[in-house]
Amino acid sequence: MRIVLAATLVAATACVTPTDAADVAAGKEKAEMCVACHGENGISQTENIPSLAGQPDQFIQWQLVFFRAGTRKNEQMQPIVEQLNNDDIRNLGAYFSSLTPPKGPKDDDPDLSEKGKQAAAGRRCASCHTDSYAGTKAVARIAGQREEYLVKALHDYKSSARSGGGMAVMADVAYPLSEEEITALAQYLAHL
């Protein structure tokens, strides 16, 4: 099933012609339904809900396809993504990637952040998420993401509750993490 989803998304994004190009304005209009949870301009103010501003275009597209296909499950997202067509998904990806990402809050625990920085280096997080943790292509931006959401995501990967996208890689990374490492990683990344 993952191979079929991957092939579908690759085909959909590879076959974009200038007349099929993503429409940021249409994405902004469609994103009105996202504001209640993901916040104005894609910056979440809601616990355990990620900010979408500045996420890579392909990452947004992949996640929406995974939700729509039921590969990635979320009770709140399911009824929303069922309404999206491929153009909507392209437009939403273009819109959210065009937004300025959230700025991490002032670091209130530099010692914990240092432990998180060491854990990130030890787990080679930058090899996928880039040196600035801004993500790229289909890999999430994790710099400045909501701290409690990062904790939730790492727990979901560790327990195999989250699938879709880099599931195998993230499960391998998250599974051996201790609670202290998860907390430290989230602290470090959220405050970048």
Side-chain angles (χ1 to χ4, degrees):
M1 175 130 172
R2 285 186 192 159
I3 293 172
V4 172
L5 288 173
T8 302
L9 186 60
V10 168
T13 56
C15 296
V16 175
T17 62
T19 57
D20 294 325
D23 182 340
V24 173
K28 180 177 183 177
E29 185 177 319
K30 186 57 87 171
E32 286 302 313
M33 66 182 173
C34 308
V35 170
C37 296
H38 293 283
E40 284 291 325
N41 297 315
I43 299 177
S44 173
Q45 302 300 314
T46 306
E47 187 174 340
N48 288 320
I49 303 289
S51 292
L52 301 178
Q55 286 291 347
D57 181 359
Q58 288 180 22
F59 174 76
I60 294 289
Q61 289 187 52
W62 275 94
Q63 298 312 303
L64 291 172
V65 168
F66 288 136
F67 279 125
R68 188 174 68 182
T71 305
R72 184 168 175 200
K73 298 184 185 320
N74 181 284
E75 201 171 282
Q76 288 76 31
M77 287 294 295
Q78 233 50 58
I80 294 167
V81 295
E82 289 171 357
Q83 303 171 33
L84 299 178
N85 63 39
N86 291 341
D87 286 335
D88 294 333
I89 289 172
R90 274 193 293 276
N91 296 340
L92 284 165
Y95 171 67
F96 283 116
S97 70
S98 76
L99 299 175
T100 302
K103 292 183 180 173
K106 184 174 174 2
D107 192 347
D108 56 351
D109 192 342
D111 291 337
L112 186 59
S113 288
E114 184 57 35
K115 289 178 184 176
K117 182 178 182 179
Q118 292 169 6
R123 300 287 183 227
R124 299 182 15 231
C125 299
S127 65
C128 293
H129 293 278
T130 73
D131 290 342
S132 64
Y133 301 102
T136 183
K137 299 182 181 174
V139 178
R141 171 186 194 81
I142 52 179
Q145 186 56 268
R146 293 185 60 85
E147 186 173 348
E148 81 286 342
Y149 177 75
L150 291 168
V151 169
K152 177 190 180 315
L154 287 168
H155 279 132
D156 287 351
Y157 281 120
K158 182 175 177 136
S159 69
S160 297
R162 181 168 173 179
S163 60
M167 171 50 190
V169 172
M170 283 304 302
D172 285 347
V173 169
Y175 184 75
L177 292 173
S178 68
E179 282 303 309
E180 181 182 16
E181 287 175 308
I182 288 173
T183 301
L185 271 168
Q187 165 79 16
Y188 169 63
L189 296 167
H191 291 87
L192 288 177

